[in-house]
Amino acid sequence: MTDALETELRRLPEPSRPDGLSSTIMARTRQVDDRRAAAASAVQPATVRSSRDHLAWAAVIAGIAIGSGMQVFTYATAGFRVDSTVQWFRVGPAGLLDPAYLWPGVLALAAGVTLYLAGLFASVDSVRR
Amino acid sequence: MTVSDTAAVRAAVEAVLRGDGEAFSEIVECYERRLFALSLMMTRSPSGADEVTQDAFLRAYTHLDQYDATRSFYPWLATIAVRLAQTWLRRRLQRESREGAALDADTSQVSAVDPLSALIEDERDRRLWQAVAALSSGERTAVYLYYRQEMSVSDAAHALGVTTGTIKTLLFRARRRLRSALAASDYARHQEERS
């Protein structure tokens, strides 16, 4: 039930807003947008750098994968381990091992090591600002 | 304008969410007066109300993605303003207590010097405004949200962060105090006229 007081409260005078309130608010929202835009542009180089990092990391992982793969392949097919530090000097015409058997493995291992080193020393922060 | 949102406000909200920041001006134009009046009723300080209103709109703008579009916009906006006004009042009390000023700012002394009451020409309206301004912070905010801004009890409760039962109690107490204050004021006016 509504009485006279409640009716009066519903039409309680509402003060007018100060001049320039809406323009001040909109100016502040534009400042927020500017800050957001600045923050977004600051993030952009990091994204680019990240994609370059991915290439370097891919090379490192590919190198490790090829090197490890060769070890596993050698175990599985030849039954002995390729010792890259020792056998490297024993392969070839003057070596003790059969070159025809070892050359493909050595080449793949070398490719893996090359990829690994290329990735390892690749510039990961080459974005110029 | 009623409490329910206009199509223009809904369209503006969607436009802002799509990235058109300038569309927010439609929302500001629509609600700035109501929000300023609410903030003023809570803070009883024009500069405080200005600050709270600006911050409320700005917070609404930056958190618009959290607005539930299935509900009315104004209660959501008013809730932000009420919380900011409560924070503003707490800060002012802390500042006053640090500075050794009187802690009780919720008394009728404010109504006596309320600059807004001077702007209200109608005698009866002015006395009503002064009586509402003299209520406690919770009572006058509940009165203003429920009666003047036509919010439901549940929306007012949500805005103030209390239960619907508390809002009903605040409204009951406020009506009782207002009747008493207005009756005393009427009696005093009669006495003045007779003398």
Side-chain angles (χ1 to χ4, degrees):
Chain A
M1 197 172 77
T2 305
D3 62 15
L5 175 64
E6 289 180 291
T7 307
E8 282 186 295
L9 287 172
R10 286 186 203 285
R11 60 173 192 80
L12 199 65
E14 198 163 60
S16 56
R17 71 205 189 292
D19 292 336
L21 179 62
S22 57
S23 55
T24 308
I25 292 165
M26 288 311 295
R28 289 183 67 185
T29 60
R30 282 183 208 109
Q31 284 174 358
V32 168
D33 286 340
D34 289 346
R35 278 200 297 272
R36 280 177 177 167
S41 62
V43 169
Q44 191 64 20
T47 311
V48 173
R49 192 161 60 239
S50 174
S51 64
R52 292 185 182 203
D53 286 352
H54 287 161
L55 279 175
W57 277 107
V60 170
I61 291 167
I64 293 170
I66 292 172
S68 308
M70 269 314 302
Q71 292 280 14
V72 173
F73 177 77
T74 307
Y75 269 126
T77 55
F80 70 94
R81 186 174 175 218
V82 176
D83 186 341
S84 59
T85 56
V86 177
Q87 290 180 351
W88 176 260
F89 302 103
R90 297 165 67 189
V91 294
L96 300 175
L97 300 175
D98 180 7
Y101 172 74
L102 271 180
W103 270 115
V106 170
L107 283 176
L109 193 61
V113 169
T114 306
L115 270 174
Y116 172 77
L117 291 174
L120 197 64
F121 293 108
S123 172
V124 292
D125 192 15
S126 58
V127 178
R128 289 187 184 138
R129 301 187 185 203
Chain B
M1 164 135 186
T2 60
V3 171
S4 59
D5 302 332
T6 62
V9 168
R10 288 188 180 276
V13 169
E14 287 169 13
V16 174
L17 288 172
R18 283 196 305 269
D20 178 9
E22 288 303 311
F24 195 69
S25 62
E26 181 77 38
I27 298 169
V28 175
E29 290 288 333
C30 190
Y31 294 124
E32 65 176 333
R33 184 169 180 177
R34 295 175 73 191
L35 206 65
F36 178 77
L38 172 65
S39 306
L40 189 61
M41 181 55 85
M42 286 193 75
T43 61
R44 290 189 299 188
S45 154
S47 62
D50 194 42
E51 180 187 328
V52 167
T53 307
Q54 283 186 33
D55 289 351
F57 273 115
L58 206 66
R59 191 162 293 190
Y61 181 73
T62 53
H63 294 84
L64 201 60
D65 54 333
Q66 293 172 16
Y67 162 61
D68 178 4
T70 60
R71 306 186 69 176
S72 292
F73 187 80
Y74 184 72
W76 182 71
L77 184 63
T79 301
I80 295 172
V82 167
R83 302 293 161 85
L84 288 171
Q86 287 169 336
T87 305
W88 187 91
L89 287 167
R90 265 197 303 275
R91 275 209 315 264
R92 191 185 65 174
L93 271 178
Q94 285 168 356
R95 195 170 59 241
E96 283 176 352
S97 67
R98 268 203 311 272
E99 293 168 359
L103 283 173
D104 187 11
D106 264 356
T107 54
S108 57
Q109 62 163 6
V110 175
S111 66
V113 294
D114 184 0
L116 285 164
S117 64
L119 300 175
I120 302 166
E121 289 181 3
D122 186 82
E123 171 67 21
R124 174 76 184 171
D125 282 350
R126 192 185 309 130
R127 283 188 293 123
L128 182 63
W129 176 274
Q130 288 175 341
V132 172
L135 295 172
S136 72
S137 173
E139 286 169 354
R140 67 174 183 271
T141 306
V143 162
Y144 208 73
L145 287 174
Y146 181 74
Y147 288 114
R148 186 61 182 86
Q149 305 212 328
E150 298 177 355
M151 279 170 64
S152 66
V153 169
S154 61
D155 280 342
H158 186 254
L160 280 171
V162 297
T163 63
T164 54
T166 304
I167 289 290
K168 286 174 184 170
T169 306
L170 286 170
L171 289 173
F172 174 77
R173 271 200 240 139
R175 282 193 300 267
R176 195 174 55 190
R177 288 185 61 184
L178 286 172
R179 281 196 187 95
S180 164
L182 290 172
S185 167
D186 281 341
Y187 178 77
R189 199 159 58 92
H190 276 295
Q191 291 295 95
E192 274 179 21
E193 282 171 2
R194 288 176 65 181
S195 60

